Amino acid sequence: AATALLPLPAAAKTAPARADLLIRHATLVDVEHGRLIPDQTVATQGDRIVAVGDDAAIAAAWRAGKNVEAKGRYLIPGLWDMHVHFGGGPDLIEENKALLPLYIANGITTVRGVPFASFDYSIKEKARSAKNEITAPRYSVYQRPGSGWDQGPVRTPDKARTWVRWIAQNGADGLKVGAERPDIMAALLDEAKKLGLGTTAHLAQTGVAQMNADEATRLGLGTV
């Protein structure tokens, strides 16, 4: 029987709905259930997947301006690279013109910078990617405490909270902490949680005497 992993549109009962793109006859890698499903078709509108299922069912329910034949090919969800640094220096922009399309070519659709580079550069590139002005994955911008602003290092809990609020207001997605002093770590992680920002850490061996993974996760650290 024909099945759809995402429900068919109500309009399909009377006439095919309009999709921008149909990717047809692919073998779908179903990562949720750990299986391969042959002869699947995906319908998209804009940057959203609106239907996935047997080709016969989807093709009957949707009409698209563009069809891509994917028979004999595998279709996977977009991959995340959770730990990306771009480096720096005067050649950074030119280097990224060559680097960033390689992420897309290899199925990586989102990258998390921990950090990519400077705060300003990361935020600007995030915006350019979102507007499709560059061939690049989506950007998730994480920055180290005290970066980006003109108020200096974060050395008190109050300043830690102020900085977290500042990066949230200026387009960051999360923060990358080190083995911070316990009171500062607690303030950083608590404020980030309140504002819906992600958190990750590099807990270097030289710092675990004051902040290790057990203590950091107890305080609310999201990833290590």
Side-chain angles (χ1 to χ4, degrees):
T3 60
L5 299 180
L6 292 178
L8 299 177
K13 296 177 181 179
T14 56
R18 178 71 180 176
D20 295 324
L21 172 69
L22 292 182
I23 304 173
R24 303 191 62 182
H25 305 110
T27 296
L28 182 70
V29 180
D30 179 0
V31 296
E32 182 177 2
H33 301 99
R35 58 179 178 164
L36 298 177
I37 311 176
D39 200 34
Q40 297 292 292
T41 289
V42 175
T44 71
Q45 290 177 334
D47 62 354
R48 299 289 179 180
I49 294 171
V50 292
V52 181
D54 290 348
D55 179 73
I58 301 300
W62 295 88
R63 290 292 181 269
K66 183 176 181 180
N67 286 265
V68 174
E69 179 55 59
K71 189 174 182 63
R73 298 176 181 270
Y74 293 89
L75 189 63
I76 63 172
L79 302 175
W80 280 63
D81 188 334
M82 299 290 283
H83 192 110
V84 174
H85 300 288
F86 287 159
D91 296 327
L92 178 60
I93 294 176
E94 288 302 315
E95 290 172 356
N96 281 344
K97 287 181 181 178
L99 168 68
L100 295 173
L102 295 177
Y103 281 104
I104 301 298
N106 286 280
I108 296 170
T109 57
T110 304
V111 289
R112 182 173 72 171
V114 287
F116 294 123
S118 70
F119 186 90
D120 287 345
Y121 176 85
S122 298
I123 295 298
K124 288 176 182 176
E125 290 298 282
K126 174 185 174 181
R128 293 210 302 151
S129 175
K131 295 175 183 177
N132 289 322
E133 293 176 356
I134 53 176
T135 302
R138 294 182 179 89
Y139 281 59
S140 183
V141 175
Y142 281 48
Q143 288 282 312
R144 287 187 175 276
S147 66
W149 70 354
D150 59 2
Q151 298 182 43
V154 168
R155 291 179 176 152
T156 67
D158 285 345
K159 202 165 188 178
R161 291 182 183 276
T162 302
W163 176 79
V164 173
R165 291 193 291 270
W166 183 88
I167 65 165
Q169 293 165 0
N170 285 276
D173 301 289
L175 46 150
K176 163 77 173 289
V177 297
E180 315 292 344
R181 206 173 70 208
D183 58 338
I184 292 177
M185 180 72 96
L188 289 167
L189 299 179
D190 181 63
E191 198 66 25
K193 183 177 180 180
K194 288 178 180 177
L195 298 174
L197 297 179
T199 55
T200 191
H202 179 184
L203 301 173
Q205 189 64 33
T206 52
V208 295
Q210 75 173 5
M211 182 58 58
N212 60 29
D214 283 345
E215 181 64 11
T217 51
R218 185 186 68 80
L219 292 172
L221 180 68
T223 57
V224 177

